[in-house]
């Protein structure tokens, strides 16, 4: 009995417990505000209290670029040569594209099976609200794809948190450093020490996580009628949850296949990052904390440093599942028939257009809007899902974190097994 009470107290004092409490309190405050003051006053309150979440996310963004740069340079230098980088990178991309394809297929399967857009009647849809998203669809082009991958300036990439560009520069820098041998060890050691300083900053920043989550949740519930949303979007949101739950089952099952009993420990370690991503709808917000947890889980720092930045650009499983689901939902609402061949073509388009746009605000919606336009589906249909998108984003952000934690852990284990095999052979 005493042990149970001690565990309960430690849970409440821990970060995960504090975040869950913050979510409950934020939702309660938001609902009270929504039901007790005017719509204009509630909007004003929402904008102000959301600043708590904005402050927390900006604090995290402040340390992402230096963390990615320093850890990745050290990681590449430790990997040692182009052959090793190519091998790990090949495994990573193979995993990412396979996971993306499966995620897209799950979304495609459930939106066709459950047909949440067929016969749906939505009144008072705010088409103007979609303009912010549809205005960004022009950025999805081959030229922009290349710009998001290849940096023209390291400092610009650092300033704008373009993770993929930082990765490209860091790979070149790390390989060059590794080729120079022992003469550059002092510089690599300096980067290593800098990365540990940044990770220490992570601990300080994470103390603000419950406050950020509280502000994010309270701000949403203050301007949304939760009961009305549940009734109006019951079929859409319910179908989405079935799809995302299936994706979780697949990811966790794959985790147990590759990691076996260690998968339970991995899940226990990432509960905190999952809760933060869920509450703030930002998988980016947990990047530093996830780095720390995966290293403590036993994945080598050089693998974590290499895999996570790539994963945040190429392995957003929850977002991928949502893209096919949302695109075909809009087509169903407008009665646009898409045969299986067209849907598979849409899936392949999404496989490509979704890569390399990390950092674009509301990236999933931007890609959905661009895809709708390409397949002659009314782009303004984005307005149909905007009211419920925040709640969908909570689940897809958490799923993105799970997918990247799993990918990093599995590739890390593959590399460990390879090193053991090579040692035995020698």
């Amino acid at each position: 009995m005493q042990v149970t009470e001690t565990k309960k107290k430690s849970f409440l004092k821990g970060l995960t417990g504090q975040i869950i409490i913050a979510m409950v309190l934020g939702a309660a405050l938001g609902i009270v505000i929504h039901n007790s003051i005017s719509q204009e006053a509630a909007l004003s309150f929402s904008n102000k209290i959301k600043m708590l979440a904005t402050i927390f996310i900006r604090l995290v963004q402040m340390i992402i670029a230096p963390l990615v740069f320093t850890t990745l340079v050290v990681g590449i230098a430790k990997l040692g040569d182009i052959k090793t980088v190519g091998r790990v990178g090949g495994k990573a991309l193979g995993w990412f594209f396979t996971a993306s394809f499966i995620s897209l297929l799950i979304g495609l399967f459930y939106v066709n099976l459950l047909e949440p857009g067929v016969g749906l009647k939505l009144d008072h849809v705010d088409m103007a609200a979609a303009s912010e998203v549809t205005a960004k669809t022009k950025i999805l082009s081959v030229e922009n794809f290349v710009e998001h991958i290849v940096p023209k300036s390291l400092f610009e990439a650092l300033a704008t948190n373009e993770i993929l560009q930082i990765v490209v520069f860091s790979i070149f820098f790390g390989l060059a450093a590794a080729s120079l041998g022992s003469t550059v060890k002092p510089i690599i050691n300096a980067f290593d020490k800098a990365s540990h300083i940044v990770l220490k900053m992570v601990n300080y920043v994470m103390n603000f996580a419950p406050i950020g989550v509280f502000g994010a949740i309270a701000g949403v519930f203050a301007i949304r009628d939760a009961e009305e949303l549940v009734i109006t979007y019951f079929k859409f949101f319910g179908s989405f949850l079935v799809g995302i739950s299936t994706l979780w089952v697949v990811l966790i099952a794959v985790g147990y296949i590759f990691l076996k009993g260690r998968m339970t420990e991995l899940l226990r370690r990432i509960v905190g990052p999952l809760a933060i991503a869920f509450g703030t709808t930002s998988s980016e917000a947990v990047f530093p904390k996830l780095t720390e947890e995966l290293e403590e889980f036993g994945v080598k720092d050089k693998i974590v440093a290499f895999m996570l930045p790539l994963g945040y650009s190429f392995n957003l499983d929850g977002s991928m599942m949502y893209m096919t689901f949302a695109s075909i939902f809009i087509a169903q609402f407008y009665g646009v028939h898409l045969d299986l061949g067209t849907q598979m073509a849409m899936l392949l388009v999404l496989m490509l257009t979704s890569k390399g746009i990390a950092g674009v605000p509301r990236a999933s919606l931007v890609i959905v809007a661009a895809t709708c336009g390409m397949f002659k589906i009314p782009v303004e249909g984005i307005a149909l899902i905007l009211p419920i998108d925040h709640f969908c984003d909570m689940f897809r952000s958490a799923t993105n974190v799970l997918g990247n934690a799993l990918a990093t852990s599995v590739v890390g284990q593959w590399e460990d097994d390879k090193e053991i095999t090579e040692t035995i052979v020698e």
Side-chain angles (χ1 to χ4, degrees), residues 200-348:
K200 188 65 178 176
M201 290 172 65
V202 171
N203 295 326
Y204 301 147
V205 170
M206 283 303 129
N207 291 327
F208 293 91
I211 299 171
V213 169
F214 174 79
I217 298 294
V220 171
F221 278 95
I223 56 174
R224 299 284 188 208
D225 189 320
E227 186 178 346
E228 184 181 327
L229 280 176
V230 168
I231 294 169
T232 305
Y233 287 94
F234 177 78
K235 191 174 181 183
F236 173 83
F237 192 55
S239 301
F240 167 74
L241 288 182
V242 171
I244 210 79
S245 299
T246 302
L247 181 54
W248 271 66
V249 170
V250 170
L251 288 172
I252 292 172
V254 169
Y256 275 106
I257 290 170
F258 286 103
L259 300 176
K260 298 182 171 56
R262 295 186 70 223
M263 184 63 190
T264 304
E265 184 192 348
L266 177 65
L267 290 172
R268 182 180 61 78
R269 283 197 170 277
I270 64 172
V271 166
L274 287 172
I276 296 170
F278 184 82
T280 60
T281 67
S282 172
S283 50
E284 192 180 54
V286 302
F287 183 97
K289 183 65 176 174
L290 191 58
T291 299
E292 195 174 46
E293 291 292 350
L294 288 172
E295 287 181 1
E296 289 183 9
F297 174 66
V299 185
K300 289 181 178 175
D301 54 359
K302 60 185 180 183
I303 300 296
V304 175
F306 186 78
M307 286 289 298
L308 270 191
L310 281 179
Y312 268 67
S313 292
F314 289 99
N315 191 44
L316 303 175
D317 298 332
S319 298
M320 299 297 285
M321 179 264 159
Y322 183 75
M323 287 172 205
T324 43
F325 188 90
S327 300
I328 297 174
F329 165 79
I330 294 170
Q332 290 175 350
F333 180 85
Y334 284 105
V336 178
H337 175 69
L338 301 171
D339 58 36
L340 183 60
T342 305
Q343 290 189 28
M344 292 306 293
M346 179 186 285
L347 186 148
L348 293 174

Side-chain angles (χ1 to χ4, degrees), residues 12 24 40 66 94 104 106 132 146 162-163 187 212 223 225 231 250 257 268 290 294 305 310 312 326 352 368 370 387:
L12 293 176
V24 173
E40 292 76 14
L104 288 165
I106 289 173
E132 179 190 346
V146 172
E162 287 282 1
I163 294 178
I187 295 175
I223 56 174
D225 189 320
I231 294 169
V250 170
I257 290 170
R268 182 180 61 78
L290 191 58
L294 288 172
L310 281 179
Y312 268 67
L352 297 175
V368 169

Side-chain angles (χ1 to χ4, degrees), residues 417-426:
D417 292 344
K418 187 178 186 305
E419 288 179 10
I420 291 170
T421 303
E422 287 177 347
T423 303
I424 292 172
V425 170
E426 288 173 6

